[in-house]
Amino acid sequence: MTKGSINVSVENIFPLIKKFLYSDHEIFLRELISNGTDATLKLKHLTSIGESKSEYGNPKIEVKIDKEGKKLHIIDQGIGMTAEEVEKYINQVAFSGAEEFLDKYKDSAKDSGIIGHFGLGFYSAFMVAEKVEIITKSHTGAPAAHWTCDGSPEFTLEEADKTDRGTEIILHIAEDSTEFLEEARIRELLNKYNKFMPIPIKFGTKEINDPNFTPKTTKDKDGKETTEPHKKITVDDIINNPNPAWTKQPADLKDEDYSSFYRELYPMQFEEPLFNIHLNVDYPFNLTGILYFPKMTNDLNIQKDKIQLYQNQVFVTDNVEGIVPEFLTMLRGVIDSPDIPLNVSRSYLQADGNVKKISSYITRKVADKLKSLFNNNREDFEKKWDDIKIVIEYGMLSEEKFFEKADAFALYPTVDGKFYTFEELTNAIKAKQTDKDDKMVILYASNKDDQHAYIQAAKDKNYEVLLLDSPIVSHLIQKLETTKENISFARVDGDHIDNLIKKDDTTISKLSDEEKTKLDEILKEVVPSEKFSVQLEAMDSNASPFIITQPEFMRRMKEMQQTGGGGMNMFGHMPEMYNLIVNTNSELVNEILNTKTKKKQERLINQSLDLARLSQGLLKGEELTNFIKRSYEMIK
């Protein structure tokens, strides 16, 4: 038997490991199973190139709980270690067995899927164990070795009588970590971290119907049939799927394969995803994965921890903000890359060069997929637009490269249910919606019902009106106005239609300047100046006498501030101000001007103002009650 001290630069590394190595102690199980997986994949590689005396067979990793003995066992059938290798890889913390292995076999081992983190990963065991044993036998046939350490730098190493190849790690669970002796807790961790590990993981056994047994049916003397019970057999309970869909080639998968994998990832999701994007690249970095577009809502605060990040089928995190482009954090699915560091902080991950390359690749791949879906079946893409637009619009705002590519598939729906690309839209409206200053004005509504009268006024002039109702639309149109040439967006209720698209042929007012001054004075005596700015406009005599609008700039700034416009709080605190546009060519306005009694004048102004407010949904509470009462009085 050998005794000695582990070669560490700190007198006692174990308290440091327990405190600082990982933020979450539960990660130890992921690390130890990852090591077992490494050891098995190493063996697979060595047998494939004829450098191992051992046969590969059908190895698995087993996790066993000994609750009475307060022990947790992790057993693999991998490459195993000799006593010399235990001395080197376990006692000399600075070495990493997997890294050395990769270096030695770097050309032929490139695709062997080795995680490459044996070393400190093993010592995570001491976060939950007061003593750790390793019993291991090498594939070379060398004598088995038994290593024991009680969490101090002292260890013992002796020969063992293990006859089968592989490594067994025995954790003597500490008093403060007895949760890891509960079957439900271990099953939860295996499901979280090891659900898709590439080697089968056994956790106990289960009973199933014997597939080779056919129950016999017999008849009694009365002709009554009896079928014997199905024969049960006990089998290993394999808790993982070693060959998940993302590890396969897209050509080998059907639509139902993608659907069933989605249900495997999200068993509590009952709605099918709209479509998926299969990522598969091996240059300039390795990355595979499947992203799903779920049905979206207009809620920007939806759960974002849906994409799962893996490194060689080992779960890393489902908090991928800063790792994948922010607009894609609303998607679901899996991204797997051996180039993602496994055991580091999120801030390191976000700053990592490979992670940044991965982020821009995913952006490009998603844009290309959306373009092909649009080109291959535009009708279907249009049907799904409402469910995916928030992701696409968010991407256009936050990723410049995505914005450039989005011209090919971003859609602009009209209030009548037509869909345009930006190029199609400008071609359709150029002739009619270009104003006297040669600027193209794109009209839009945010609510078909609330803005119906304004939409109708625009349609009466054969103008096209878009329906843009996502919560970030103000940001998006601001972006479009600054990047596209000679266009502006105007919401249909932002002003009278003739003011939104000013043409040369202005309507002449029936009122003289003197009459206009008098009307302005009468109106300002009755209309509250803190809420409304009165504007006299010569419009068609059939147009509404009073129209309430909200200035485009002010409304847009307030909306942007509400959805994270940054630095625009001053607009958020300003009171709601509206324009009251009074049609000087309206018969009713003419009657207001020429009414002799002040009381009737006030009544006509208040009734007209309240009707205009009602059309904008601005009449509420006591004012609405009084308006209804007053209207009934007038009918009588």
Side-chain angles (χ1 to χ4, degrees):
M1 179 166 74
T2 306
K3 287 189 176 185
S5 284
I6 293 165
N7 180 19
V8 291
S9 55
V10 179
E11 174 54 31
N12 193 343
I13 199 171
F14 299 105
L16 290 174
I17 285 172
K18 193 150 192 163
K19 196 170 180 186
F20 298 118
L21 182 57
Y22 300 98
S23 57
D24 204 339
H25 286 187
E26 69 179 34
I27 223 91
F28 82 93
L29 193 60
R30 180 189 81 175
E31 294 302 303
L32 296 179
I33 291 176
S34 295
N35 290 342
T37 302
D38 274 356
T40 311
L41 292 173
K42 283 179 183 179
L43 180 71
K44 184 179 185 180
H45 181 67
L46 291 179
T47 52
S48 73
I49 60 172
E51 285 204 18
S52 176
K53 295 174 184 173
S54 188
E55 275 192 29
Y56 184 64
N58 296 300
K60 57 180 169 278
I61 293 167
E62 183 175 7
V63 179
K64 282 197 306 194
I65 296 170
D66 173 4
K67 199 165 182 178
E68 277 185 31
K70 294 187 177 178
K71 290 184 281 192
L72 184 66
H73 301 249
I74 294 102
I75 306 158
D76 71 58
Q77 297 166 351
I79 197 169
M81 287 181 282
T82 63
E84 292 75 25
E85 286 169 333
V86 172
E87 172 74 40
K88 181 177 180 181
Y89 296 136
I90 301 299
N91 295 340
Q92 297 176 30
V93 173
F95 285 86
S96 166
E99 281 173 21
E100 185 185 81
F101 178 87
L102 277 176
D103 190 50
K104 183 177 176 187
Y105 295 101
K106 57 178 176 266
D107 295 325
S108 58
K110 190 173 60 182
D111 301 315
S112 59
I114 289 152
I115 294 157
H117 285 274
F118 205 102
L120 272 179
F122 164 74
Y123 283 93
S124 66
F126 287 96
M127 295 193 299
V128 299
E130 59 191 16
K131 182 168 89 171
V132 178
E133 298 179 68
I134 302 172
I135 304 169
T136 181
K137 184 168 176 67
S138 170
H139 69 113
T140 61
H146 183 183
W147 178 92
T148 308
C149 179
D150 64 0
S152 70
E154 308 303 317
F155 70 89
T156 62
L157 181 59
E158 58 191 330
E159 211 171 283
D161 56 6
K162 181 176 168 67
T163 55
D164 51 330
R165 177 199 71 214
T167 299
E168 177 173 6
I169 311 268
I170 305 166
L171 277 66
H172 296 257
I173 300 296
E175 283 303 319
D176 63 357
S177 299
T178 52
E179 64 183 283
F180 300 114
L181 293 170
E182 300 297 330
E183 184 186 330
R185 180 73 169 119
I186 295 298
R187 190 172 289 277
E188 176 201 345
L189 294 183
L190 292 172
N191 195 47
K192 178 176 178 179
Y193 292 110
N194 307 104
K195 194 174 180 178
F196 300 112
M197 292 286 269
I199 306 298
I201 299 167
K202 175 187 173 184
F203 187 52
T205 57
K206 60 183 178 182
E207 276 198 340
I208 61 165
N209 289 334
D210 185 349
N212 301 315
F213 176 75
T214 307
K216 286 180 186 168
T217 302
T218 54
K219 288 184 182 178
D220 62 15
K221 61 182 187 321
D222 299 323
K224 187 181 176 185
E225 288 189 349
T226 306
T227 303
E228 66 179 315
H230 214 296
K231 187 179 171 187
K232 301 276 186 183
I233 56 168
T234 301
V235 296
D236 291 347
D237 187 5
I238 302 297
I239 56 89
N240 62 323
N241 172 4
N243 302 297
W246 85 80
T247 63
K248 299 171 185 174
Q249 290 298 317
D252 298 334
L253 295 167
K254 300 184 176 73
D255 286 347
E256 53 264 35
D257 296 320
Y258 287 110
S259 290
S260 63
F261 181 57
Y262 182 76
R263 285 191 292 276
E264 196 176 343
L265 283 173
Y266 309 106
M268 301 311 291
Q269 284 294 328
F270 302 110
E271 272 193 337
E272 287 289 310
L274 298 165
F275 51 81
N276 66 73
I277 296 170
H278 197 130
L279 306 165
N280 196 344
V281 67
D282 52 18
Y283 181 82
F285 46 81
N286 287 296
L287 182 135
T288 53
I290 300 170
L291 295 179
Y292 293 91
F293 269 75
K295 272 198 158 193
M296 288 288 168
T297 65
N298 271 351
D299 182 8
L300 281 172
N301 298 313
I302 54 171
Q303 170 75 21
K304 286 186 174 181
D305 299 347
K306 293 289 187 185
I307 293 178
Q308 298 175 10
L309 195 65
Y310 287 78
Q311 194 240 51
N312 280 331
Q313 294 173 242
V314 181
F315 177 81
V316 179
T317 182
D318 58 6
N319 182 358
V320 295
E321 284 189 74
I323 298 165
V324 305
E326 193 181 351
F327 77 103
L328 294 178
T329 58
M330 291 186 271
L331 302 189
R332 296 187 182 135
V334 166
I335 293 166
D336 188 336
S337 173
D339 297 321
I340 291 171
L342 188 63
N343 300 328
V344 291
S345 69
R346 287 185 40 69
S347 58
Y348 182 93
L349 262 183
Q350 291 165 11
D352 184 82
N354 281 324
V355 171
K356 285 183 175 171
K357 283 183 205 157
I358 286 166
S359 179
S360 66
Y361 164 75
I362 294 168
T363 299
R364 193 178 78 241
K365 186 76 177 175
V366 168
D368 292 344
K369 175 71 174 184
L370 290 166
K371 184 180 177 182
S372 80
L373 286 166
F374 174 75
N375 290 341
N376 294 340
N377 190 343
R378 177 165 178 163
E379 189 183 345
D380 185 57
F381 193 84
E382 287 178 358
K383 278 182 196 161
K384 289 172 177 168
W385 179 252
D386 266 352
D387 293 314
I388 61 173
K389 68 185 177 194
I390 195 81
V391 178
I392 293 171
E393 290 171 355
Y394 196 11
M396 289 167 74
L397 279 171
S398 57
E399 297 285 331
E400 203 54 49
K401 285 199 167 75
F402 187 82
F403 179 82
E404 289 162 16
K405 284 178 170 279
D407 263 355
F409 54 79
L411 292 177
Y412 299 86
T414 72
V415 289
D416 299 317
K418 272 191 293 188
F419 289 87
Y420 292 112
T421 63
F422 194 81
E423 187 182 359
E424 290 166 352
L425 173 67
T426 52
N427 287 337
I429 68 170
K430 201 172 193 175
K432 285 188 179 143
Q433 289 177 224
T434 300
D435 67 12
K436 63 185 179 61
D437 299 319
D438 213 29
K439 186 169 252 193
M440 199 185 311
V441 181
I442 299 167
L443 299 174
Y444 72 100
S446 58
N447 187 302
K448 276 202 292 190
D449 293 332
D450 291 355
Q451 294 151 8
H452 182 270
Y454 301 91
I455 294 167
Q456 197 54 52
K459 281 182 163 187
D460 289 345
K461 291 188 172 285
N462 289 322
Y463 293 158
E464 194 72 89
V465 181
L466 301 182
L467 180 61
L468 304 177
D469 58 2
S470 82
I472 53 174
V473 77
S474 297
H475 296 275
L476 182 63
I477 62 181
Q478 199 82 354
K479 169 95 174 165
L480 289 163
E481 284 174 342
T482 53
T483 49
K484 306 285 184 187
E485 283 186 16
N486 224 19
I487 62 135
S488 71
F489 281 78
R491 204 166 87 175
V492 283
D493 59 347
D495 206 334
H496 173 57
I497 190 64
D498 290 339
N499 286 341
L500 292 176
I501 305 178
K502 287 191 170 170
K503 303 285 188 179
D504 287 326
D505 51 335
T506 51
T507 308
I508 298 164
S509 176
K510 292 178 182 176
L511 302 183
S512 65
D513 289 347
E514 193 182 327
E515 286 173 314
K516 280 196 262 186
T517 304
K518 186 183 172 190
L519 176 64
D520 191 50
E521 288 167 359
I522 292 166
L523 290 165
K524 282 176 177 170
E525 280 178 23
V526 181
V527 176
S529 60
E530 70 278 8
K531 288 184 182 175
F532 298 99
S533 170
V534 177
Q535 295 175 14
L536 303 183
E537 297 276 356
M539 298 185 277
D540 192 289
S541 57
N542 294 324
S544 297
F546 282 24
I547 298 171
I548 290 174
T549 63
Q550 192 170 19
E552 175 80 13
F553 174 77
M554 186 71 71
R555 179 189 48 72
R556 202 189 287 185
M557 288 302 115
K558 282 174 81 80
E559 284 174 0
M560 287 171 73
Q561 192 249 319
Q562 283 161 8
T563 52
M568 290 183 286
N569 282 335
M570 59 178 188
F571 296 106
H573 299 310
M574 286 182 78
E576 293 282 353
M577 273 296 289
Y578 295 91
N579 294 328
L580 176 63
I581 300 168
V582 178
N583 181 3
T584 59
N585 290 339
S586 157
E587 280 184 37
L588 178 61
V589 172
N590 197 46
E591 190 180 337
I592 290 169
L593 178 64
N594 295 311
T595 296
K596 301 297 178 210
T597 66
K598 207 152 190 71
K599 197 173 178 187
K600 187 183 176 187
Q601 213 169 41
E602 277 182 23
R603 199 174 76 243
L604 286 172
I605 292 169
N606 281 323
Q607 191 71 3
S608 302
L609 177 60
D610 282 354
L611 281 165
R613 290 169 77 199
L614 190 66
S615 75
Q616 272 281 47
L618 297 173
L619 201 59
K620 295 183 173 82
E622 188 182 350
E623 290 178 319
L624 178 58
T625 307
N626 292 340
F627 166 76
I628 293 166
K629 192 176 174 184
R630 188 171 70 239
S631 299
Y632 280 130
E633 295 286 331
M634 289 171 75
I635 293 168
K636 281 195 282 184

